[in-house]
Amino acid sequence: MTQQLQDRPALSEKVITFPDAIPGFPAARRFLLRDLDEQGTFQLLESLDTEGLSLVVCVPWIFFPDYAPEIDDDLQRELAITSAADAIVFCSVTAEADELYLNLLGPFVVNATTRQGRQVVQGDAAAPVRAPVPLAG
Amino acid sequence: MLVLTRRTGESIHIGDDVVVTVLDVRNDQVRIGIQAPRSVKVHREELLRQVGEDNAAAAASSERAAALLGRLASPPPRSAGRDRPGR
């Protein structure tokens, strides 16, 4: 029996570029992704431009399997994404009072090949900016 | 801030490429139409602001968040060898 773990793209070696930076940090265009755990579930998105700017990120479907971020035609065209396989999507994790939250309102969408992306503010408030992630125990 | 007064159906040109039109006014809600090239991003202000603020909060709490990752409800353990499905 073989059960292959999905190979995650080797992002940690390559710079990811957000040409329009990210909301709140207008100088932060270039980032590295570093795995935080062996399975590659969580990464640290580290800014190469703004000192001290690092965000814990993860693939949102681990905790929210029904999450459906809008990746519209304009975004697909802008990032040259022609299929779901071209796109890497991750959301930032925030800690407050020993709880963890995912930002589902502003997912990061990156073209897996070009490594260019954008943090996409969703069009309406249906996706929470702080979606609680259950902690064990 | 430039302040203009418009009636329903009237428009405003911003730069060469952006046109804002008042489509409808009902009670205290205004329906606004925006024509802009794809390169110009249009956002509801409060949503853009929330994402910016959350990015700052995520950055400020990233060490704490990384430390808490160990306490997440983990995925079910892989089977130890019994009851393997057919290869």
Side-chain angles (χ1 to χ4, degrees), chain B residues 35-52:
Chain B
Q35 292 166 260
R38 291 184 208 119
S39 58
V40 175
K41 305 306 172 192
V42 179
H43 296 298
R44 287 168 176 75
E45 181 272 337
E46 69 279 9
L47 299 187
L48 182 60
R49 178 170 36 85
Q50 283 177 35
V51 173

Side-chain angles (χ1 to χ4, degrees), chain A residues 1 23 42 53-56 74 77-78 93-95 98 103 105 118-119 122-124 129-130 133-136, chain B residues 38 41 43-44 47-48 50-52 54-59 61-62 64-66 68-69 71-73 84-85 87:
Chain A
M1 188 241 338
F42 291 90
L53 174 59
S54 291
L55 309 178
V56 174
D74 286 349
R77 205 175 289 113
E78 175 196 332
V93 180
T94 300
D98 278 1
N103 178 356
L105 181 61
R118 169 178 294 283
Q119 184 174 23
Q122 297 294 283
D124 59 37
V129 68
R130 291 242 177 141
V133 173
L135 292 175
Chain B
R38 291 184 208 119
K41 305 306 172 192
H43 296 298
R44 287 168 176 75
L47 299 187
L48 182 60
Q50 283 177 35
V51 173
D54 195 74
N55 282 344
S61 71
S62 59
R64 186 73 191 125
L68 284 171
L69 295 179
R71 287 178 43 194
L72 283 164
R84 266 183 220 214
R87 286 175 230 177

Side-chain angles (χ1 to χ4, degrees), chain A residues 47-115:
Chain A
S47 171
L48 294 170
D49 303 309
T50 301
E51 189 158 338
L53 174 59
S54 291
L55 309 178
V56 174
V57 298
C58 74
V59 173
W61 293 284
I62 296 171
F63 302 107
F64 302 98
D66 297 331
Y67 179 52
E70 199 192 346
I71 300 179
D72 65 14
D73 292 344
D74 286 349
L75 183 67
Q76 290 179 42
R77 205 175 289 113
E78 175 196 332
L79 297 180
I81 290 171
T82 50
S83 73
D86 295 334
I88 299 161
V89 178
F90 48 86
C91 294
S92 63
V93 180
T94 300
E96 189 175 290
D98 278 1
E99 298 291 337
L100 290 180
Y101 303 87
L102 241 58
N103 178 356
L104 300 181
L105 181 61
F108 296 90
V109 180
V110 178
N111 180 309
T113 307
T114 67
R115 301 296 197 251

